[in-house]
Amino acid sequence: MAAAPNVAAVPEGSVAERVPPDRRGPRRWVDAAVGAGFLVGAGYATSSLWTGGQDRVVAGLGAQDQVLMEWFLGHAARSLAHLRNPLFSGQLDVPYGVNVMANTSVLGLGLPAAPVTLLFGPAVSFAVLVTLALAGTAAAWYYVLSRHVVSSRAAAAVGGAFCGFAPGMVSESLGHLQMVAQLLIPLIALLIVRMGAPGRIWPRGVALGVLVTWQVFISEETLLFTGAAVGVFLLAYALVRRQAWRDLRRWAQGIGIALAVCVPLLAYPLYRQFLGAGSYRGLPFAPSLIYLDLASYPAFPSNSLAGSAASARLAHTIAEQTSFFGWPLLLVTLGCAVWLWRGGSAVARAAALSGLVFALLSLGERVVVDGWRTPLPGPYRLVDRLPIVDLVVSARLGLVVVPFAGLLLALAVDRAGAGRRRALVLVAVVAAAVPLVPLPLPTTTLAPVPHFVTSGAWRAYVPAGRTLVAVPTASSFALDGIRWSTATGQDLAIPRGYFLGPDRTNPGHSLYGAVPTWTSIVLDEVVASGQVHVRVPGDDRLVMADLRLWRAAVVVLRPGQPGASALRATLDQYLGPARQVDDVWLWDVRALLH
């Protein structure tokens, strides 16, 4: 990207140009200090994950996603340790298994982190990866900005810090590792933008193909957002500086080389994702139902110095506060955009236009202001029927606004030059950002995994090819079974679970988790009501059919489970009296299913 101490001083040129090396200087110690600062900041934000042991998880609905993410991290480590295909697992949702490639399984992180997972457990891996994701994303943007966009390391640090620690990034840290792990995104964006620069195009194309392949195994959603963001930015840049069209041929060549690299590498994984066992179509919900409230942009995130629980009402969940810029920083960013626009910076103009486009698209199909559904149609209506786009949750497009805002802030600090004026701009940006400083992630503690599981006592009851059925059965709201499987290194196979998979009763549709069965429905109802389900003729046949389907060896109830007494009394009617083994109630059903 073209830039200089005063971006207005560069009236011509390509967006692919570099900042001259002599303007940067060999100040590696500054880079090290900035990187260390990012790591300290990330450690502070995630400090709550580092206490409480294996049972500490983020609060709210993010707990479900963290439990599943830890299971996927364990799966990646198990696959590597046993040299098994990581794209599918038969240890969850027995007898069908789970299409790992068709879920947010972050194999691109889980496989490299396998040594940590095997040595210390998935909970530690999750905490490490979230911390490195925040710090690494900030550092990656700092590298790109300091080497290719601005001449001031202070300006690059400001932009990198915002890109890595924006409220939306911290919010998504509540269980959505795939959304915050954007370490490769700045490099992918840079390679695409610089594809038209003078020099050899083959190395850039090959590097882009490799990074795109890696990113697919981290988050295809983020990769889609990146492609859309860079495409809009380049189009906007071409509109404000017509000379940019001259790079089009080289860009096309570079993209072609990248595709030649990544298509063969991704052919089999994508085949497994879309056509393999456990594949599905669409999402279990309408993406249009999750959008951003316009009033959320000037609001403070709930988990920040200036935030409050009341502001959470402006977002779908606390893990989706992607647009909470806070009014001081929003005003400063808009002021920077106007100042840079009037100064003639084509890069700033393209960034401002691009950020505006995605901010408008994030509002969904109908503009909502502070909970009021206005009669104004949202711009997202123009694209929401396009293939692939129809699967995008528009609220997450608020994350796409973040790097454009970070770029504008960096350019503004850089344009201010040295001395008092730069200090004033820095003070304004920092002062506006202080209210957004995140508090440590809100966390909670789940019930400890039973000693019956962690000690390995379960192995005497569950032979190879059979499962342990947790009560109630594993789902997005009943996490015991998934956590117990994770605690055994996934040696323990379980039926059902929490994942994205096909609706086997309604082909062409998808579900969160397995298709409900009679037994799973009854047990969930007992938990909800606290009342014993009274046995009636015919129930026994339905229970036994489900246990056979699940290849059950034992049915296990944790005494502290909500509704435990009613659950135990209900199952006693069908399976006989439970007996206490170690710290669980257990029904051995191996003889019943012969």
Side-chain angles (χ1 to χ4, degrees):
M1 296 181 181
N6 187 331
V7 293
V10 188
E12 302 294 340
S14 165
V15 71
E17 290 176 358
R18 293 171 57 96
V19 174
D22 60 343
R23 290 179 179 168
R24 290 184 274 115
R27 292 170 288 182
R28 299 298 181 186
W29 67 268
V30 177
D31 296 340
V34 171
F38 290 155
L39 190 58
V40 169
Y44 160 76
T46 62
S47 58
S48 53
L49 290 175
W50 294 95
T51 59
Q54 301 287 329
D55 304 316
R56 176 71 66 175
V57 295
V58 296
L61 294 178
Q64 305 164 323
D65 295 319
Q66 180 177 338
V67 167
L68 179 60
M69 195 63 66
E70 289 179 5
W71 191 91
F72 281 133
L73 293 175
H75 163 76
R78 177 187 176 90
S79 299
L80 190 61
H82 297 280
L83 299 180
R84 294 176 179 172
N85 185 351
L87 306 181
F88 186 86
S89 174
Q91 298 301 98
L92 192 66
D93 193 28
V94 176
Y96 305 109
V98 171
N99 188 326
V100 175
M101 188 64 199
N103 280 265
T104 54
S105 53
V106 292
L107 287 171
L109 301 176
L111 291 173
V116 177
T117 305
L118 293 171
L119 287 173
F120 304 105
V124 173
S125 281
F126 179 82
V128 168
L129 288 172
V130 172
T131 303
L132 293 181
L134 292 173
T137 299
W141 279 113
Y142 168 79
Y143 171 82
V144 169
L145 291 171
S146 64
R147 269 56 174 181
H148 302 276
V149 183
V150 297
S151 59
S152 162
R153 277 175 164 74
V158 167
F162 183 75
C163 291
F165 296 95
M169 292 289 287
V170 177
S171 170
E172 292 286 348
S173 298
L174 292 168
H176 300 160
L177 176 58
Q178 78 280 8
M179 300 305 299
V180 294
Q182 299 184 21
L183 301 84
L184 304 182
I185 298 304
L187 303 178
I188 291 173
L190 174 66
L191 284 169
I192 296 175
V193 168
R194 293 201 64 237
M195 202 65 73
R200 298 175 62 194
I201 198 169
W202 277 94
R204 297 172 191 167
V206 171
L208 178 60
V210 171
L211 291 181
V212 165
T213 301
W214 190 356
Q215 181 61 38
V216 165
F217 291 99
I218 298 176
S219 172
E220 293 169 283
E221 183 177 10
T222 306
L223 182 61
L224 173 64
F225 290 168
T226 303
V230 175
V232 170
F233 175 81
L234 290 176
L235 178 60
Y237 189 87
L239 291 175
V240 299
R241 176 169 284 170
R242 296 181 181 179
Q243 291 88 345
W245 292 109
R246 70 189 182 191
D247 296 324
L248 184 59
R249 181 178 177 182
R250 288 180 61 83
W251 276 324
Q253 291 174 340
I255 298 301
I257 295 170
L259 289 174
V261 172
C262 67
V263 168
L265 296 174
L266 292 172
Y268 177 70
L270 293 181
Y271 165 79
R272 292 298 300 262
Q273 176 178 346
F274 294 107
L275 298 174
S279 60
Y280 56 88
R281 296 290 181 272
L283 294 173
F285 61 92
S288 60
L289 297 176
I290 305 178
Y291 49 82
L292 293 182
D293 190 312
L294 182 60
S296 67
Y297 274 96
F300 296 108
S302 57
N303 191 52
S304 66
L305 289 181
S308 67
S311 61
R313 64 183 175 79
L314 296 174
H316 182 67
T317 69
I318 61 171
E320 297 289 355
Q321 295 181 4
T322 57
S323 54
F324 288 59
F325 280 56
W327 63 263
L329 189 63
L330 184 62
L331 290 178
V332 168
T333 304
L334 292 175
C336 291
V338 172
W339 180 43
L340 293 168
W341 187 290
R342 296 180 63 182
S345 168
V347 173
R349 289 181 177 184
L353 288 173
S354 302
L356 178 62
V357 165
F358 286 100
L360 292 173
L361 290 175
S362 70
L363 301 179
E365 297 181 346
R366 176 74 60 181
V367 177
V368 175
V369 181
D370 199 16
W372 173 52
R373 291 181 61 83
T374 73
L376 298 175
Y380 193 67
R381 285 191 175 188
L382 300 174
V383 297
D384 66 352
R385 296 294 184 267
L386 297 176
I388 300 180
V389 178
D390 60 352
L391 301 177
V392 170
V393 174
S394 61
R396 288 187 173 173
L397 293 176
L399 290 176
V400 184
V401 182
V402 169
F404 292 121
L407 176 57
L408 289 171
L409 294 173
L411 288 171
V413 174
D414 197 53
R415 184 187 178 194
R420 182 175 300 177
R421 187 163 67 166
R422 173 170 292 172
L424 290 175
V425 175
L426 273 172
V427 168
V429 172
V430 171
V434 165
L436 299 175
V437 170
L439 303 176
L441 298 177
T443 57
T444 188
T445 300
L446 300 180
V449 176
H451 183 261
F452 172 78
V453 174
T454 59
S455 67
W458 64 272
R459 297 180 186 275
Y461 296 87
V462 185
R466 303 293 287 272
T467 69
L468 179 152
V469 179
V471 179
T473 57
S475 69
S476 59
F477 294 99
L479 304 173
D480 275 357
I482 304 172
R483 296 179 63 229
W484 298 355
S485 175
T486 300
T488 67
Q490 298 181 11
D491 289 345
L492 176 60
I494 64 166
R496 304 183 56 75
Y498 173 43
F499 54 90
L500 270 170
D503 184 346
R504 301 181 189 281
T505 63
N506 191 8
H509 294 77
S510 59
L511 282 177
Y512 277 126
V515 176
T517 68
W518 185 88
T519 305
S520 71
I521 293 171
V522 166
L523 296 178
D524 288 344
E525 290 176 347
V526 171
V527 173
S529 67
Q531 302 297 314
V532 177
H533 175 84
V534 180
R535 174 185 181 185
V536 299
D539 283 358
D540 300 75
R541 177 179 55 81
L542 297 172
V543 172
M544 293 304 162
D546 286 342
L547 293 177
R548 289 190 181 93
L549 172 68
W550 297 334
R551 301 172 185 169
V554 291
V555 178
V556 175
L557 171 64
R558 175 173 55 85
Q561 161 69 40
S565 297
L567 288 166
R568 181 184 169 192
T570 296
L571 288 171
D572 280 348
Q573 299 175 92
Y574 305 106
L575 307 179
R579 61 192 180 97
Q580 187 167 359
V581 178
D582 203 339
D583 55 349
V584 300
W585 290 103
L586 180 145
W587 292 266
D588 189 335
V589 298
R590 287 174 289 179
L592 294 177
L593 300 182
H594 282 165

